[in-house]
Amino acid sequence: MAEVKQVTAVFPGTFDPFTRGHFSLVMRGIKTFHKVIVAVAGSTSKKCCFSLDERVDMAKRIFEHHPQVQVESFDGLLIHYVEQSPANVIMRGLRAVSDFEYEFQMALMNRRLDNDIQTVFLMTDYKWMYLSSTIIKDVAVNGGDIKGLVPRQIYDEVIERLTSKEK
């Protein structure tokens, strides 16, 4: 019988904040891969509401009871991080056709930089197609209800940060 190859996927993002859509993708990822590394991006052009350490800490709390999920931070090019990790796959989520063009360009560039690392796209669950960290921040800052849109482990922290007057 052939030996089953262990496949580890990296799920990269800023996760500012982590959403139920992100969570859903990771949970589906661990059904497909032996291990998923949630790679929290430190260097980003986005203006984050939470520091890198806070985003890593929140993700670790969310997945503390899921041994197949590892949370790490990274800086620089994703492909360089993946090359240094035990992973051989980049896992990305797609919500709609609008995500595809950007993700496709990134996957092709990563493939050019390292032809041995594959990108796998997972479609989001239909419940989360509209959801993004940006939308969560906009709704919370303007007094809307985000209960059920971020994991319960971080809900209070997200609400406190996004609704405080000292943003």
Side-chain angles (χ1 to χ4, degrees):
M1 180 178 258
E3 186 177 330
V4 176
K5 184 177 179 183
Q6 296 278 316
V7 180
T8 298
V10 168
F11 181 49
T14 53
F15 307 116
D16 184 51
F18 214 91
T19 71
R20 289 288 305 273
H22 294 134
F23 180 80
S24 173
L25 283 168
V26 172
M27 297 312 292
R28 289 177 49 224
I30 62 176
K31 291 179 182 176
T32 306
F33 305 105
H34 290 89
K35 183 178 185 181
V36 173
I37 300 171
V38 174
V40 183
S43 56
T44 176
S45 59
K46 297 178 182 177
K47 182 175 180 345
C48 292
C49 291
F50 296 91
S51 72
L52 177 60
D53 288 342
E54 288 171 323
R55 291 180 282 132
V56 168
D57 178 65
M58 286 190 282
K60 284 183 177 180
R61 283 186 277 134
I62 291 165
F63 294 107
E64 69 183 330
H65 300 294
H66 298 277
Q68 321 89 303
V69 180
Q70 179 180 330
V71 177
E72 296 182 352
S73 64
F74 77 98
D75 276 308
L77 287 178
L78 171 63
I79 202 73
H80 292 159
Y81 168 77
V82 176
E83 289 169 340
Q84 300 302 311
S85 79
N88 42 8
V89 170
I90 298 169
M91 184 179 88
R92 297 295 293 162
L94 295 175
R95 291 172 293 207
V97 175
S98 57
D99 288 342
F100 180 76
E101 187 174 351
Y102 172 77
E103 293 294 345
F104 187 64
Q105 289 174 333
M106 293 304 299
L108 289 174
M109 179 53 77
N110 286 334
R111 183 102 190 237
R112 182 183 184 284
L113 294 170
D114 189 327
N115 200 39
D116 293 329
I117 297 173
Q118 304 303 315
T119 300
V120 173
F121 297 107
L122 294 180
M123 295 303 300
T124 192
D125 190 308
Y126 70 92
K127 293 184 289 192
W128 312 119
M129 284 183 68
Y130 66 92
L131 193 59
S132 70
S133 295
T134 301
I135 288 174
I136 291 213
K137 288 184 280 195
D138 287 346
V139 169
V141 162
N142 290 293
D145 183 12
I146 62 166
K147 194 166 209 99
L149 302 180
V150 297
R152 63 177 170 66
Q153 298 93 328
I154 65 169
Y155 174 79
D156 291 337
E157 186 175 353
V158 170
I159 286 296
E160 183 178 323
R161 175 68 53 89
L162 297 178
T163 61
S164 73
K165 301 290 184 213
E166 303 169 6
K167 293 186 276 275

